[in-house]
Amino acid sequence: VLTLRQLSFKNIGRFSSEQSVDFSTLSDFIQVDAINKNTGGSSGSGKSTIFNALDYLLGLNDTPTTVLQSRLTKEPISVHGVFNWDGDVLEITRGGGKLKIYLEGKIIEGSNALAEEKIDEILGMPRDLFRKILHKRQKEGGFFLDFTPKKMHEFLIDCLNLSDMRKKAEIVDLRLKELLDNKTKIEGELTAIKYGLDSNENALQAIGEAPKPEISRETILELKANLESAEALDKVALDRYKDQMLALESEKPDIKMVPFDSSLGDRYRDERTALERKLATLFANEQDRLTSVKANLYTQQSEVQKLEFQVKSAENLKIEAMKLSEQLKKIRGCQCPTCLQQWSDDSAKRKEAEILSQLEDMKPAILGMASLKDMVKTRNEEITALKTQLIEIVHPEVPAINEAINNLSELVKDEQSKYDAHTEKHNTSNNALLQNFYNKQKDIQAKQSAAQNQIRGQMEIARSALQIAMQKLKSFDNEKNQYEKTFNSLSEYKKTLTKNVEECTFNLETTVKSIFMAEEMKKAIKMYVSYSFDGALEDIGSKATEIIRCIPNMSNATIHFESTKETKDGKVKEEVNAVIGMDGEVGIPIKSLSGGERSAVDLAVDLAVIDFIETKSAKGMNLFILDEPFTGLGTIEIEMALEVLKNSNTNKKIIIVDHNPEIKQMVQSRIVIERDGIESTIIEQSRN
Ligand SMILES: Nc1ncnc2c1ncn2[C@@H]1O[C@H](COP(=O)(O)OP(=O)(O)OP(=O)(O)O)[C@@H](O)[C@H]1O
Ligand SMILES: [Mg+2]
């Protein structure tokens, strides 16, 4: 525990010269008062500044140093404190960006950071918490009751160092959740596997017993032997048939034919052919002659056509020449041949010469026209003569040749008839001989065919019986294979499933055990936490009640705290709620308290909490500074609050920063500041 003995400071706020307060000489109930000579009041003199300096020294201030640094001087802020720390002398100096700590005369070496760490060690709790239990700043309400229920809970958990436990509880919770999830998972797996096992069992039952063969291998051998003997019979029958046929072949009649003399017929045919050739030659000669006449005729006719065309052209020239002669006549009569105007100049002469030249050119053709006409006439006469030659001339030998041919044809026909009669005669006698042979052959064939049909029928029956038996055997083999495959895979699967069930069951048992253990652990932690927590609430509540009861009109009041609230949906709300009781009324809402009541309750609770924290942690400080705690309260209320403070029974110096003359009556020690102009100084530190 830290005890402040002396505090010195300079260059802060209005204090530019060094000030020093010796707390060790002051009693336990101290008023800090001031006189502002500028105003006659006390405001603005520097009362609060003293404790800002203390906060600054311990690193508890949340305002920047530049705000604290006095504007009256360029010299840096400097605060020095002499403490007693668990029996050791401790000195702390802070200013100009430096922090120095002397413990038992020895300086803490190293950086500012190291010194700050030392301060953390000395304070022994979070700095903001330390500040709250040391210094109730101006305008700050009761710190504990100002918290929300949730914050109160958190605050106490922190103070009781239960965070670790809670962290453990959270870990256990997580683990428990994990285990429960795992359990659900394993149970699901187990159900699935068991279901699988059932299905497997059903399947094994469904496939029943192994199939039995319908047909034995011996039967197959018998059937094969049957078929083979039928085949052997067939072969025997076939061989016998072949032997019989071969034997019959020797009985086949020898058939001979007397040759027919066809020389005469052949001669007639040759003669007839020679005559037919002659006839053809004659006919061909006549055809050649006719062709030559036709060709000549065609040549003559084309020649006539050409000549007639020339005659026509000459006639046209003649007409043209007559027209030109007409023109010539006109030109010679000095007249234009086209417009019939008088025309006798050089051009008329040229035209005349031109026409004359044209007429000269036409002349031979026109003169040749008469001879052309003669030629046409001669040719036409030739054509008429040729046309008379176009009639076919029959050769005088032709009728005789034709008759000879006819006669020869008759003779050939007679010879053919003789040949046919000869052949017919022979065939009839031979056929009679052959028919007997064929009948015997047919007889053997018919007998063979009947025997073979019977044997083949038997063979077919034996073969199909064997096939059916083989098919049955094959399908049995397939069925057996299929059965064995299914049976084996089901049995294999059954083994796997059974093993899985065992594993799962083991896992489930392990998990259930772990769950049990985790739940036990959770219960233990919860019990520990709630025991510590409820114990703390109990302590704080009874201490606060004890403090508040010193006020005469609150002598029957109770302050107690309830933790954890269950919400409508069954969730636990981690909160702390202060419950006030007064005059037989329980559960009075804090907000309904009067200003005085509220201040008294606030003070009582804060003092109880501070006491609790310090007892628990064996840390803290011997001061409780209250900066103008009674603002807005009347005399009675102030008295009530002071009563609370006086009776709080803390081993602390209680410092009340307040100008109120009421307080002066009630305290033993005073620190008085005087502000004159822009400067402030501490002018009094006294004990009554
Ligand atoms: N850095 C600074 N330099 C100079 N003056 C400052 C500085 N900071 C604050 N002051 C002034 O110091 C004076 C003292 O302030 P302080 O809060 O200590 O007065 P107080 O006595 O507590 O007054 P009140 O009763 O009104 O609370 C004020 O006039 C303020 O304006
Ligand atoms: Mg002030």
Side-chain angles (χ1 to χ4, degrees):
V1 176
L2 203 56
T3 308
L4 178 63
R5 302 181 65 78
Q6 198 180 353
L7 183 72
S8 317
F9 51 91
K10 63 176 177 187
N11 307 327
I12 175 164
R14 300 249 148 234
F15 301 101
S16 52
S17 59
E18 173 143 338
Q19 310 293 316
S20 188
V21 183
D22 188 356
F23 285 93
S24 59
T25 59
L26 299 177
S27 66
D28 287 350
F29 219 32
I30 306 159
Q31 182 190 20
V32 178
D33 198 358
I35 309 150
N36 188 338
K37 281 175 119 182
N38 303 344
T39 61
S42 102
S43 182
S45 322
K47 300 187 292 293
S48 299
T49 308
I50 299 177
F51 302 100
N52 286 343
L54 178 62
D55 285 351
Y56 169 75
L57 178 69
L58 295 175
L60 308 176
N61 219 316
D62 40 21
T63 42
T65 314
T66 47
V67 176
L68 301 173
Q69 167 68 47
S70 175
R71 299 190 293 269
L72 309 182
T73 172
K74 289 256 178 307
E75 271 185 59
I77 184 172
S78 170
V79 185
H80 176 76
V82 181
F83 301 85
N84 199 305
W85 183 46
D86 292 339
D88 294 336
V89 178
L90 171 76
E91 284 183 54
I92 306 173
T93 310
R94 196 193 281 273
K98 292 216 170 71
L99 172 66
K100 267 190 193 155
I101 299 174
Y102 299 86
L103 191 57
E104 284 294 290
K106 277 188 214 131
I107 187 163
I108 305 292
E109 298 281 358
S111 60
N112 274 8
L114 212 73
E116 293 288 359
E117 265 177 39
K118 190 70 191 172
I119 289 194
D120 280 331
E121 186 199 328
I122 293 161
L123 301 181
M125 66 183 82
R127 291 193 186 189
D128 60 337
L129 175 59
F130 193 92
R131 206 282 294 163
K132 275 194 187 303
I133 67 171
L134 168 70
H135 186 176
K136 180 165 144 43
R137 284 190 185 147
Q138 196 163 356
K139 290 195 185 108
E140 256 179 8
F143 85 88
F144 194 71
L145 289 182
D146 268 3
F147 285 158
T148 59
K150 194 163 179 280
K151 177 80 185 134
M152 272 189 209
H153 192 275
E154 278 168 17
F155 176 84
L156 282 175
I157 289 287
D158 277 348
C159 289
L160 290 163
N161 267 333
L162 289 176
S163 326
D164 273 2
M165 270 298 172
R166 280 162 65 86
K167 268 191 201 119
K168 272 185 199 150
E170 272 167 24
I171 292 167
V172 172
D173 259 354
L174 273 181
R175 174 82 187 124
L176 196 61
K177 196 181 166 289
E178 218 176 82
L179 285 166
L180 286 169
D181 285 351
N182 199 26
K183 184 176 167 240
T184 316
K185 201 181 126 219
I186 298 171
E187 279 168 349
E189 272 171 23
L190 201 59
T191 315
I193 299 168
K194 279 186 177 160
Y195 182 75
L197 206 56
D198 279 355
S199 309
N200 183 276
E201 198 56 53
N202 288 344
L204 269 172
Q205 267 171 21
I207 67 162
E209 304 226 326
K212 289 199 179 72
E214 237 181 276
I215 227 129
S216 72
R217 282 175 208 278
E218 288 72 34
T219 316
I220 298 277
L221 288 178
E222 264 170 43
L223 289 169
K224 253 188 195 159
N226 281 355
L227 182 60
E228 275 164 15
S229 69
E231 278 169 353
L233 278 177
D234 190 46
K235 197 173 174 293
V236 168
L238 196 64
D239 287 349
R240 197 181 54 214
Y241 167 71
K242 275 181 191 159
D243 289 349
Q244 283 175 347
M245 287 299 266
L246 211 65
L248 189 65
E249 200 58 33
S250 63
E251 287 176 29
K252 195 172 179 180
D254 196 13
I255 287 160
K256 282 193 194 98
M257 185 126 132
V258 178
F260 178 78
D261 183 5
S262 61
S263 60
L264 198 62
D266 290 344
R267 210 187 75 208
Y268 291 150
R269 262 187 213 97
D270 291 346
E271 279 176 17
R272 186 176 64 178
T273 309
L275 285 177
E276 277 167 351
R277 279 200 194 116
K278 196 176 178 187
L279 202 59
T281 311
L282 288 176
F283 180 73
N285 289 346
E286 178 57 14
Q287 288 306 311
D288 286 349
R289 187 193 63 85
L290 278 173
T291 309
S292 135
V293 171
K294 274 180 195 163
N296 205 357
L297 193 59
Y298 175 72
T299 315
Q300 293 301 339
Q301 279 170 339
S302 2
E303 210 53 46
V304 167
Q305 267 177 13
K306 267 189 229 159
L307 288 169
E308 279 176 342
F309 180 73
Q310 282 171 11
V311 170
K312 186 85 191 149
S313 305
E315 276 172 348
N316 284 344
L317 270 180
K318 198 176 167 186
I319 294 166
E320 192 67 18
M322 275 158 74
K323 279 182 191 162
L324 284 171
S325 302
E326 203 60 36
Q327 280 183 19
L328 195 62
K329 220 193 248 173
K330 280 177 186 152
I331 289 166
R332 284 181 179 159
C334 299
Q335 205 178 28
C336 171
T338 40
C339 64
L340 305 177
Q341 298 290 308
Q342 206 59 27
W343 188 33
S344 66
D345 56 5
D346 283 352
S347 66
K349 287 255 179 325
R350 269 199 310 275
K351 185 70 188 174
E352 186 184 347
E354 191 189 305
I355 293 172
L356 278 173
S357 152
Q358 282 175 343
L359 285 172
E360 202 56 36
D361 288 345
M362 290 171 177
K363 207 170 176 179
I366 296 167
L367 290 178
M369 194 164 66
S371 90
L372 279 174
K373 280 183 177 170
D374 283 350
M375 280 160 85
V376 170
K377 200 180 159 211
T378 315
R379 298 250 174 196
N380 274 336
E381 278 163 10
E382 271 176 43
I383 286 168
T384 314
L386 279 171
K387 277 183 178 167
T388 59
Q389 290 174 36
L390 276 175
I391 299 149
E392 196 178 327
I393 303 164
V394 177
H395 196 273
E397 281 181 46
V398 169
I401 294 170
N402 270 337
E403 203 186 326
I405 287 173
N406 283 344
N407 289 341
L408 283 168
S409 290
E410 277 310 308
L411 289 171
V412 165
K413 216 170 151 191
D414 286 353
E415 281 306 302
Q416 184 64 39
S417 300
K418 278 179 201 165
Y419 172 77
D420 288 346
H422 174 86
T423 315
E424 173 70 22
K425 204 175 104 197
H426 273 84
N427 277 354
T428 316
S429 65
N430 283 346
N431 280 350
L433 284 172
L434 278 173
Q435 198 54 52
N436 186 28
F437 172 76
Y438 288 142
N439 283 346
K440 281 184 184 172
Q441 228 178 18
K442 267 187 197 158
D443 191 34
I444 294 169
Q445 275 171 346
K447 277 180 187 157
Q448 164 66 14
S449 157
Q452 220 167 26
N453 275 349
Q454 200 200 349
I455 295 166
R456 295 248 161 104
Q458 280 170 12
M459 215 158 79
E460 250 350 278
I461 290 166
R463 184 174 286 132
S464 78
L466 181 65
Q467 260 173 13
I468 290 167
M470 297 269 277
Q471 196 54 49
K472 275 183 183 165
L473 196 68
K474 200 176 156 201
S475 63
F476 163 73
D477 280 346
N478 283 345
E479 208 184 318
K480 198 175 139 218
N481 280 346
Q482 195 53 47
Y483 176 85
E484 277 169 2
K485 233 165 97 186
T486 314
F487 182 81
N488 288 345
S489 82
L490 282 173
S491 304
E492 227 19 69
Y493 191 43
K494 188 178 173 176
K495 269 188 217 156
T496 315
L497 286 174
T498 313
K499 207 173 136 232
N500 285 352
V501 167
E502 278 165 17
E503 268 172 27
C504 260
T505 312
F506 177 76
N507 283 349
L508 189 62
E509 278 166 7
T510 318
T511 309
V512 168
K513 268 183 209 155
S514 304
I515 288 173
F516 176 76
M517 269 155 66
E519 272 169 348
E520 285 305 301
M521 199 185 274
K522 192 180 162 183
K523 266 189 229 157
I525 293 172
K526 209 173 157 191
M527 258 165 70
Y528 174 79
V529 171
S530 77
Y531 182 77
S532 314
F533 198 81
D534 291 347
L537 290 181
E538 185 75 42
D539 285 356
I540 297 169
S542 53
K543 178 81 182 176
T545 305
E546 189 191 309
I547 298 172
I548 201 79
R549 283 192 175 172
C550 67
I551 300 171
N553 63 355
M554 289 183 94
S555 58
N556 59 6
T558 53
I559 301 173
H560 85 268
F561 296 93
E562 279 173 359
S563 71
T564 60
K565 236 191 190 174
E566 215 167 295
T567 57
K568 270 182 217 152
D569 49 0
K571 269 194 190 153
V572 173
K573 238 186 179 179
E574 293 191 315
E575 290 183 353
V576 169
N577 287 290
V579 183
I580 313 289
M582 232 184 336
D583 301 325
E585 205 184 342
V586 192
I588 299 171
I590 293 181
K591 290 224 163 77
S592 74
L593 297 175
S594 76
E597 287 165 346
R598 173 64 197 256
S599 312
V601 170
D602 264 339
L603 274 176
V605 170
D606 282 355
L607 287 165
V609 170
I610 290 164
D611 184 64
F612 170 79
I613 292 168
E614 291 189 347
T615 316
K616 270 275 165 214
S617 62
K619 298 279 177 189
M621 197 157 154
N622 72 324
L623 297 186
F624 186 37
I625 304 148
L626 298 112
D627 196 342
E628 301 204 1
F630 310 128
T631 317
L633 298 187
T635 319
I636 307 288
E637 287 83 14
I638 293 172
E639 272 170 14
M640 266 164 70
L642 283 172
E643 205 61 37
V644 167
L645 287 169
K646 264 189 174 171
N647 290 282
S648 64
N649 252 342
T650 55
N651 299 317
K652 285 179 184 286
K653 288 189 198 298
I654 289 177
I655 300 170
I656 299 169
V657 181
D658 207 317
H659 174 57
N660 200 320
E662 300 273 335
I663 297 159
K664 197 175 172 178
Q665 310 300 316
M666 302 182 72
V667 300
Q668 304 100 13
S669 295
R670 270 160 58 84
I671 300 170
V672 185
I673 302 159
E674 182 188 87
R675 171 159 174 191
D676 193 358
I678 54 168
E679 290 245 7
S680 292
T681 44
I682 295 172
I683 54 161
E684 183 190 326
Q685 317 175 32
S686 64
R687 243 188 119 132
N688 281 348

